[in-house]
């Protein structure tokens, strides 16, 4: 009012100099501006938190595109016919204009941009030199992590290493080698400057995470010694060990130690788990927790991977079992990520071409292959009976193409939290039927786990021709799960890929691994009956998004071969 | 009526007396009558006078000692046109002979106003010249004026008629015949910071014919104006209480604000147009060309709409008006949801390669096919309905008959120094979709008082209280529910349905409150008639708007049936403070009218959302958010300010050469640091050629006026858009049982040189009237170019940003607007008026980023769908030519039933490069025809409105499937009207929804239409009849709105672009009955 009065007087007196400048100054009342948001340690902590949140949002928040690493590979295929959304048809899915193609690109470049902003703004911040090193190490870890997705999905991509503060439209692609070398450099810095895993808060990255990722990148470059040294530093870290005994939240329930690894509350180190390297954090019903007990929010691995049991055929009268309930035991699956026969059966065969159930990873707890009959309209004698679809009488569950029905197929229980869903999602406490809001994996999720580090090192040994050490590492992983031990003559890259499947399964971003090894096309043709007819060799890489090519007006972003 | 016909003549008897008698008096503040009485009592004189002719009530002070009667009387009547004859002791006082006729105080004048055909003219303004006193003729053309001052001259004015000035000259009855003039030429129009006679205009200003809108059920004035004013494009409305979209002339911005600036009673109006009671509006004018808009500078580029509300009356007798109407409505066209039979056939048709046998070429049913294994049957509610024989018509459950009820009462009048207008309106609209409701109460008080003869003060104020409460069923879900899902269980309880589909009727059971309120008050003062500064006036306007919105909702079915409640509150306050100094001077044949404006505005906004779910107790609904286990709070706010100065000079010579020049300087807080202020100049020239001697002898030409103008306007950027902002929110929780960790990231790129958009334009116009003004019209041609377009320039997302707001490029608009008014038939009892309006605008992108790739020609911006030489709304897309049939050579990624896309690159494979320019979304031209027939008391109005596509225009996507999967579509159903491909229907309009090919092109269709928008039949009762029941006017009417639409567009409505997809909404047809009456 005082201001108004003053200006009124000015106007009344026909004076023009009434401090118009301050009247017109823009005072954003509810938004933060970047000028004063990258100064203190608190600011940088917040910017780093965004890297975790951004990464989780990109790949663990229930978006369809998060599952692009699984379907269309040797691991799983789309459970539903004729739906491009589910990667059923390669040419139809991987079009340069497809939203999916842009999703991974822009999501990772956003992480890179946020990391670059942190790195560029450190110089003028109030942080001490030591603090700057630690912050930079964490930012560089995420920058390398994002480039991992980009380089394995798209090949050589433009390297952006500085904060972009004004319009820029002249990007050109770097070679795959340049990108990988940059990642090595970032990860070496991260490994040297990040705190030890024993001293970080649960969920935060550490020197161990950086070394694990470094090993993977080194393998892609053929730097096998670097891969060995970095993975060895992870394996030899006294704070790290494979879980070898039952532990955690459900230790008194029937199960096994592999099952324990995936139960709620068992992923962080504070639960006694020394195997975890980088764990995506979820917390129910808290801002930033990423999960809700009343809406379907979170990582949808349960929904995508668990079978859609109402679609199962009734073993009693062979009609569609629409009444079969989706329960807290099986999860509320939609049957979209269906294992290939290779994943569900062949890799588990022992010497006698039968599934070797000594391997706990394929136990009924971890890889069930049947359904518990609960159709209330069915005959009483079937109630509660477990139907194993592997048995001869239940072979009808395989379609003529050798593909499982969406209603019942073998699946990894790590996608769900058997009989441990949030209470508000149980619609009927008697039958333990789930509400439609279920479908989320209500546990934290491993992004990196020590078992994989062993397999990375085994791969490096194999590449160097050091078969005995490769065998040792593979057997360390197998032995922990009771699987039979292998010998040097067995070790091939395909065996390691199979072993990764057995150990990691749907934990692994399979497409990235296959792309790193150039095995994408070969193994998909071989093991994925569903996608074999439609995958072409150029589908090893995604196309560069058309939007990016179009918007990059000052230079040419070359399209990947096969997409022009 | 307070007519005072009595005239008292006082005759006081007395005796003969000497003229030389002397008188002494000392009286203060006494009336002349008292003085005369004193004289009579102290002397033998007596006076004779007529109190109607001589003002004896005037108060005076008088002190005389021993003076002769002659001197005393001279002093008493000093300065009065009075003479006195002293005949012995009898003194006769009477008006002086030279002014005898005009000094007389007339009691009243009455009369009748007719047009040249002799038909009575209602609504003619009759004013006493030089005063604010006057009246308006009644339905039979009659008027009565009382208390006429000296020398009264009556001014008769009426839109479309020549204004006449007639001295009363002692007459008591004056009948007037009004002559037609070029339509509207004597009309006074608002031009912003002042008003002007239309004949003096140099720019392009259109005024709405509000009279013509009467009788149509429009709760929003704009709806009624749809199609009536060339250059004003009003969108169709399909929701209750919704504001239609409006644009003026072509689109001069790509991504900047496209809404015209609205000025309500001189104040920039940021409120909601649906808050303004249409009955309160006196005039509605649009500034269209760059020169007339230039006075609003940086905000004017999209056109300026000036709305003026009714002022107080000019008669002591209050005039009361009452209007009421009732309408019923239903969709003028209905799409049909499939019934059970049709739905099941649709499912088979979608999964044709399983449901039909291969041997038959997929035309005969496959015996082995079990529909229960198809996608819809993964949904338990569909399975249940299938087994129980459900056949639900969800549309029926979610819709109802639409009604609109309007009531309005207004009163206007004046007392000695105060004039007033007050109104109260109540409108209630119930739309076709259940709970799509709107009701509004408006109250207005406009008061003005003449404080002194140089100072007027007043207020224009209103309150509008709108209620949109009630949650409608989700219309999209209603379209998607399908016949097999059942809304209620056997006990009649609502079922949630479950699966991935929630019962759309849940909304009806929710408690929903949505109230939007607004208070507006413009406090003003006007200083004029300053004796030492003739022609000068100073207006001070202080306009204030306060809007607040409450949106509360309780939903017990949400959040896994744990319930969710929320409250959303927002408020916005804005003020405008304007000082308007004006000076008018007429010197011989020269006339100058200068205006200086200095002003500023500020706006403040804030909102709070509180939400909680998982409620322990839902009894109190949204009134107890504390019951929720999970509680969330969000808030937001912003503020902005602007300051401006404007100078305008109008000059006319001999009233036929007209010149206008303006300059405005604008400052706006939203401009970037380096570009805070801007200047916007304009000038215009007008020539009334028909006033020239070489033309004015012409028999057939009544008016010929040429106008030309040039001006620069701006378009504001959105606040804060030039700043580098950082988004912060709870992003993560580390560790089990941890607390929220907040994250931050840059959310946009800054641009410290961001400027306003700058539009330059020229306008050439011709106004004419011929054949005794039986044919009048107006042609306008304009060209504008807009530079420094505010635009979100797409960036490669490699930068971490999608776009940057920048100034780029140039776009050009050119267009022509034609209005033609004719009166084909004009008899005493029958009259036919015909108005034709036509508008065409062509929009073209001239420059964008330039030649970035260096190939010698300007580059298109494919990523933003912008092409050099093409309109902004260009449609660049795949060219669909039919559908692949079984057995065709089908490329990778496509199927039988997919659209066949033309391979424009000829590469053999289809890719984004095969897109081509299909046309544009803008229409080619618009026209409307307004017919008005009048026979005695009856009148019939017929209004046709049309938007035409031309060759390649007015395209919209009418894709019923979008990118939905077959599973989705088969569960949700499709409208019966969607004709899709199956092997047995190979020539269908749309592709098969059974697969999603690698490219799923949109389906662009033209939207041309001709609409019979309004038909109004009304009857005005004769005033002879009405006067017996003390009524001044009474009109009854029936009308129809959107009675028929001729179009080839498939879908709900071409104008809204509602197609065959799930998200379409119907446009309603209304029948209305109404009454308008005036009491006096």
């Amino acid at each position: 009012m005082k201001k108004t009065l003053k200006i009124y007087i000015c106007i009344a007196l026909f004076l023009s100099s009434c401090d118009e400048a301050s009247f017109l100054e823009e005072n954003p009342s509810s938004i933060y501006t970047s000028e004063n948001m990258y100064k203190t340690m608190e600011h940088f902590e917040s910017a780093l938190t965004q890297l975790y949140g951004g990464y989780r949002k990109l790949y663990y928040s229930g978006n369809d595109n998060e599952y692009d690493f699984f379907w269309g590979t040797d691991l799983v295929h789309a459970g539903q016919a004729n739906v491009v959304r589910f990667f059923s048809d390669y040419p139809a899915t991987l079009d340069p204009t497809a939203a999916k193609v842009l999703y991974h690109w822009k999501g990772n470049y956003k992480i890179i941009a946020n990391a670059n902003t942190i790195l560029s703004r450190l110089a003028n911040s109030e942080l001490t030199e030591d603090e700057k090193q630690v912050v930079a190490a964490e930012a560089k870890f995420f920058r390398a992590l994002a480039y991992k997705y980009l380089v394995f999905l798209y090949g050589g991509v433009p390297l952006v290493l500085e904060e972009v503060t004004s319009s820029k439209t002249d990007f050109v692609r770097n070679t795959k080698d340049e990108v990988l070398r940059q990642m090595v450099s970032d990860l070496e810095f991260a490994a040297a400057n990040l705190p030890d895993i024993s001293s970080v808060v649960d969920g935060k990255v550490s020197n161990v995470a950086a070394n694990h990722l470094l090993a993977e990148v080194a393998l892609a470059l053929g730097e096998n010694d670097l891969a060995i040294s970095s993975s060895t530093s992870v394996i030899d870290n006294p704070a790290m060990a494979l879980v070898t005994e039952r532990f955690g939240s459900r230790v008194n329930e029937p199960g096994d130690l592999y099952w324990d690894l995936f139960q709620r509350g068992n992923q962080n180190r504070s639960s006694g788990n020394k195997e975890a390297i980088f764990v995506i954090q979820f917390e129910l019903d808290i801002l930033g927790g990423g999960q809700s007990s009343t809406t379907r929010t979170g990582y949808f691995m349960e929904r995508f991977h668990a079978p859609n049991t109402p679609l199962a055929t009734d073993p009693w009268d062979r009609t569609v079992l629409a009444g079969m309930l989706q329960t807290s035991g099986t999860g509320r699956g939609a049957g979209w990520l269906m294992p290939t026969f290779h994943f569900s059966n062949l890799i588990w065969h022992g010497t006698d071409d039968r599934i070797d159930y000594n391997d706990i990873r394929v136990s009924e707890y971890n890889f069930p292959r049947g359904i518990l009959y609960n159709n209330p309209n069915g005959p009483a004698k079937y109630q509660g009976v477990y139907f194993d679809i592997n048995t001869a009488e239940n072979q009808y569950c395989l379609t003529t193409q050798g593909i499982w029905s969406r209603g019942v197929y073998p699946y990894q229980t790590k996608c769900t939290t058997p009989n441990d869903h949030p209470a508000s999602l149980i619609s009927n406490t008697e039958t333990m039927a789930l509400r439609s809001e279920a479908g989320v994996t209500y546990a934290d999720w491993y992004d990196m786990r020590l078992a994989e580090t062993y397999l990375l090192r085994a791969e490096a040994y194999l590449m160097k021709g050091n078969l005995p050490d490769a065998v040792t590492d593979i057997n360390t992983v197998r032995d922990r799960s009771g699987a039979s031990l292998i010998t040097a003559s067995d070790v091939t890259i395909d065996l390691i890929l199979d072993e990764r499947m057995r150990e990691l399964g749907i934990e692994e971003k399979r497409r990235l691994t296959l792309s790193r090894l150039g095995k994408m096309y070969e193994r998909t043709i071989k093991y994925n009956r569903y996608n074999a007819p439609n995958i072409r060799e150029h589908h090893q890489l995604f196309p560069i998004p058309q939007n990016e090519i179009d918007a990059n007006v000052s230079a040419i972003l070359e399209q990947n071969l096969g997409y022009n | 009526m307070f007519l005072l016909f009595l005239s008292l003549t006082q005759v006081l008897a007395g005796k003969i007396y000497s003229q030389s008698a002397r008188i002494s008096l000392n009286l203060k503040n006494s009336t002349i009558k008292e003085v005369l009485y004193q004289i009579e009592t102290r002397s033998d004189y007596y006076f004779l006078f007529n109190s109607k002719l001589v003002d004896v009530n005037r108060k005076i002070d008088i002190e005389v000692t021993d003076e002769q009667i002659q001197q005393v009387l001279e002093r008493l009547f000093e300065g009065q046109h009075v003479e006195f004859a002293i005949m012995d002791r009898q003194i006769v006082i009477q008006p002086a002979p030279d002014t005898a006729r005009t000094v007389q105080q007339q009691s009243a004048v009455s009369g009748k106003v007719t047009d040249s055909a002799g038909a009575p003219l209602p609504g003619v303004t009759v004013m006493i010249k030089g005063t604010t006193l006057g009246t308006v003729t009644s339905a039979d053309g009659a008027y009565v004026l009382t208390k006429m001052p000296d020398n009264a001259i009556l001014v008769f004015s009426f839109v479309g008629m020549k204004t006449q000035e007639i001295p009363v000259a002692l007459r008591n009855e004056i009948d007037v015949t009004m002559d037609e003039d070029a339509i509207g030429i004597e009309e006074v129009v608002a031009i912003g910071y002042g008003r002007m006679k239309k004949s003096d205009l140099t720019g392009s200003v259109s005024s709405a014919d509000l009279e013509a809108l009467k009788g149509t059920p429009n709760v929003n004035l704009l709806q009624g104006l749809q199609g009536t004013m060339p250059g004003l494009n009003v969108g169709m409305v399909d929701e209750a209480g919704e504001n239609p979209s409006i644009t003026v002339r072509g689109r001069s911005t790509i991504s900047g604000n496209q809404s015209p600036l609205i000025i309500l009673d001189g104040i920039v109006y940021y409120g909601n147009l649906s808050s303004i009671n249409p009955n309160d509006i006196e005039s509605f004018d649009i500034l269209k060309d760059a020169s007339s808009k230039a006075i609003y500078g940086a905000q004017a580029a999209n056109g300026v709409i000036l709305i003026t509300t009714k002022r107080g009356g000019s008669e002591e007798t209050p005039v009361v008006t009452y209007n009421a109407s009732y309408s019923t409505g239903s969709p003028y066209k209905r799409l049909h949801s499939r019934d059970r039979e049709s739905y099941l056939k649709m499912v088979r048709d979608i999964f044709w390669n399983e449901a039909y046998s291969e041997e038959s070429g997929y035309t005969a049913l496959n015996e082995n096919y079990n529909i229960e294994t198809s996608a819809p049957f993964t949904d338990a509610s569909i399975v249940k309905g299938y087994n129980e024989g459900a056949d639900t018509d969800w549309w029926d459950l979610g819709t109802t008959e639409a009604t609109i009820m309007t009531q309005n009462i207004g009163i206007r009048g004046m007392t000695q120094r105060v004039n007033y207008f007050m109104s109260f309106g109540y409108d209630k609209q119930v739309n076709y979709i259940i709970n799509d409701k709107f009701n509004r109460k408006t109250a207005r008080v406009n008061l003005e008082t003449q404080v002194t003869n140089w100072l007027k003060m007043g207020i224009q104020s209103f309150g509008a209280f709108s209620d949109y409460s009630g949650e409608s069923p989700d219309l999209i879900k209603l379209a998607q529910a399908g016949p097999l899902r059942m809304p209620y269980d056997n006990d009649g309880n609502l079922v949630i349905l479950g699966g991935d589909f929630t019962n759309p009727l849940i909304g009806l059971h929710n408690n929903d409150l949505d109230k939007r309120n607004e208070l507006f008050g413009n406090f003003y003062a006007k200083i004029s008639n300053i004796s030492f500064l003739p022609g000068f006036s100073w207006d001070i306007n202080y306009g204030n708007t306060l809007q607040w919105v409450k949106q509360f909702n309780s939903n017990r079915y949400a959040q896994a049936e744990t319930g969710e409640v929320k409250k959303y509150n927002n408020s916005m306050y804005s003020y405008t403070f304007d000082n308007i100094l004006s000076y008018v001077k007429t010197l011989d044949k020269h006339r100058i009218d200068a205006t200086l404006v200095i002003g500023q505005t500020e706006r403040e906004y804030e909102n709070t959302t509180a939400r909680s779910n998982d409620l322990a107790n839902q009894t109190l609904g949204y009134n107890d958010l504390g019951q929720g286990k999970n509680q969330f709070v969000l808030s937001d706010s912003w503020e902005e300010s602007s300051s401006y100065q404007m100078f305008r000079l109008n000059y006319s010579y001999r009233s036929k050469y007209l010149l206008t020049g303006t300059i405005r300087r604008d400052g706006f807080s939203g401009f970037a640091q380096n570009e805070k202020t801007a200047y916007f100049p304009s000038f215009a020239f007008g020539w009334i050629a028909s006033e020239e001697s070489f033309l004015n002898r012409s028999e057939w030409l009544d008016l010929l006026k040429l106008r030309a103008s040039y001006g620069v306007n701006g378009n504001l950027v959105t606040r804060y858009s030039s700043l580098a902002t950082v988004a912060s929110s709870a992003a993560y929780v580390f560790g089990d049982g941890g607390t929220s960790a907040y994250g931050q990231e840059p959310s946009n790129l800054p641009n410290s040189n961001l400027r306003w958009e700058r539009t330059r334009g020229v306008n050439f116009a011709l106004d004419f009237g011929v054949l005794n003004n039986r044919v009048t019209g107006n042609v306008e041609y304009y060209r504008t170019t807009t530079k420094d377009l505010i635009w979100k320039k797409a960036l490669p997302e490699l930068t971490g940003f999608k776009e940057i707001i920048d100034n780029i490029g140039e776009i050009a608009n050119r267009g022509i607007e034609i209005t033609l008014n004719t009166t084909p038939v004009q008899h005493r009892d029958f009259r036919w008026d015909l108005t034709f309006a036509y508008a065409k605008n062509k929009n073209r992108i001239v420059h964008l980023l330039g030649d970035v790739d260096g190939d010698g020609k300007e580059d298109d911006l494919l990523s933003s769908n912008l092409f050099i030489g093409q309109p902004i709304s260009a449609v660049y897309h795949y060219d669909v030519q039919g559908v692949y049939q079984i057995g065709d050579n089908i490329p990778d990624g496509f199927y039988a039933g997919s659209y066949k896309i033309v391979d424009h690159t000829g590469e053999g494979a289809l890719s984004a490069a095969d897109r081509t320019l299909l046309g544009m979304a803008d229409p080619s031209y618009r026209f409307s025809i307004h017919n008005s027939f009048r026979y005695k008391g009856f009148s019939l109005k017929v209004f046709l409105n049309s938007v035409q596509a031309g060759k390649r225009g007015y395209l919209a996507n009418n894709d019923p499937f979008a990118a939905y999967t077959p599973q989705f579509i088969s569960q949700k159903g499709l409208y019966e009207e969607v004709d899709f491909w199956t092997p047995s229907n190979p020539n269908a309009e749309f592709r098969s929804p059974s697969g999603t090919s690698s490219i799923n092109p949109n389906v662009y269709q033209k939207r041309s239409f001709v609409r019979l928008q309004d038909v109004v039949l009304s009857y005005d009762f004769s005033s002879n009849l009405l006067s017996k029941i003390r009524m001044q006017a009474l009109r009854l009417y029936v009308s129809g709105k959107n009675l028929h639409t001729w179009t080839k567009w498939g879908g709900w409505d071409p104008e809204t672009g509602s197609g065959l997809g799930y998200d379409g909404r119907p446009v309603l047809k209304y029948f209305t009955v109404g009454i308008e009456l005036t009491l006096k």
Side-chain angles (χ1 to χ4, degrees), chain A residues 407-459:
Chain A
V408 49
Y409 55 77
Y411 69 100
Q412 289 190 297
T413 55
K414 64 173 77 165
C415 74
T416 176
T417 48
N419 298 312
D420 198 16
H421 284 74
S424 58
L425 293 177
I426 313 289
S427 67
N428 182 334
T429 46
E430 231 162 79
T431 59
M432 293 304 280
L434 290 173
R435 292 186 161 284
S436 60
E437 286 83 358
V440 171
T441 309
Y442 290 96
D444 294 338
W445 192 263
Y446 299 106
D447 195 77
M448 297 173 189
R449 183 157 66 84
L450 183 62
E452 187 190 9
T453 325
Y454 279 100
L455 296 177
L456 287 173
R457 192 168 71 176
E459 194 182 318

Side-chain angles (χ1 to χ4, degrees), chain A residues 8 14 20 23 26 29-30 32-34 37 80 84 89 109-110 114 167 281 283 287 294-295 311 436 548, chain B residues 378 499 559 577 600 636-637 641 643 665 720 724 726 735 737 740 744-745 793 797-798 800 895 967 996:
Chain A
Y8 179 75
F14 295 99
E20 192 184 47
F23 182 71
E26 189 152 42
S29 51
S30 69
Y32 303 99
T33 59
S34 63
M37 282 295 279
Q80 201 175 349
V84 173
D89 179 348
Y109 271 111
K110 185 70 190 171
N114 285 347
S167 173
Q281 304 288 305
E283 203 71 18
L287 286 176
T294 51
T295 56
L311 281 183
S436 60
E548 294 295 281
Chain B
T378 58
Q559 302 286 335
F577 184 62
Q600 62 172 343
D636 192 14
S637 71
S641 55
S643 79
R665 176 180 175 276
Y720 307 150
V726 173
S740 300
Q744 68 173 58
E745 63 183 343
K793 189 169 79 176
E797 302 224 26
L798 283 156
Y895 311 94
Q967 146 146 351
T996 330

Side-chain angles (χ1 to χ4, degrees), chain B residues 725-744:
Chain B
T725 55
V726 173
S728 171
S729 62
Y732 215 66
V733 176
F734 292 100
D736 297 330
T739 54
S740 300
Y742 279 71
Q744 68 173 58

Side-chain angles (χ1 to χ4, degrees), chain B residues 622-788:
Chain B
Y622 53 68
N623 287 315
D624 190 358
L625 270 56
Q627 292 290 334
K629 187 176 133 205
N630 308 310
Q631 303 185 359
F632 308 90
V633 184
L634 293 166
S635 66
D636 192 14
S637 71
W638 51 257
E639 57 190 52
E640 63 185 29
S641 55
S642 50
S643 79
Y644 45 86
Q645 301 85 38
M646 189 281 288
F647 180 71
R648 171 173 61 203
L649 182 70
N650 289 315
Y651 168 74
S652 77
Y653 177 68
R654 287 172 168 250
S655 292
K656 64 185 171 189
Y657 304 105
L658 314 161
L659 204 60
T660 306
T662 66
I663 177 102
R664 171 151 166 152
R665 176 180 175 276
D666 260 296
F668 174 56
S669 62
F671 291 149
Q673 205 52 49
N674 305 338
E675 303 280 353
K676 278 291 182 204
T677 56
Y679 287 92
F680 300 95
S682 88
F683 55 85
F685 176 71
W687 175 40
I688 304 179
S690 47
E691 294 288 311
E692 299 288 355
S693 52
F694 58 87
L695 280 175
N696 98 22
R697 279 178 227 112
S698 159
E699 289 272 304
W700 55 273
L701 181 71
D702 303 306
L703 172 77
L704 180 65
K705 180 177 173 186
L706 298 168
R707 292 182 275 123
S709 71
Y710 166 84
V712 182
N713 311 136
N715 193 11
L716 295 182
V717 298
T718 318
R719 72 195 84 84
Y720 307 150
S721 52
S722 67
L723 303 176
T725 55
V726 173
S728 171
S729 62
Y732 215 66
V733 176
F734 292 100
D736 297 330
T739 54
S740 300
Y742 279 71
Q744 68 173 58
E745 63 183 343
S747 47
N748 72 317
L749 282 174
N751 185 347
S752 53
N753 296 314
L754 193 66
R755 294 186 296 269
W756 53 95
E757 293 180 335
R758 197 179 277 267
T759 300
R760 282 164 222 276
V762 290
N763 193 76
F764 300 100
L766 175 75
D767 304 316
F768 62 91
V770 295
L771 302 176
N772 238 346
N773 284 325
R774 283 282 285 271
V775 179
T776 63
N778 162 276
V779 180
E780 307 247 0
Y781 172 78
Y782 60 88
R783 298 184 79 106
T784 64
T785 56
T786 307
K787 286 186 181 171
D788 291 340

Side-chain angles (χ1 to χ4, degrees), chain B residues 70 89 131 197 410 457 498 522 556 851 898 1039:
Chain B
Q70 181 73 26
R89 283 182 291 172
T131 71
K197 279 205 297 189
M457 291 178 85
N522 178 31
R556 59 171 60 245
D851 180 19
S898 302
S1039 71

Side-chain angles (χ1 to χ4, degrees), chain A residues 393-408:
Chain A
E393 68 269 24
N394 290 327
Q395 281 300 310
Y396 66 87
C397 292
L398 273 179
T399 65
T400 46
Q401 296 157 292
I403 292 171
W404 303 107
S405 128
R406 260 173 82 203
V408 49

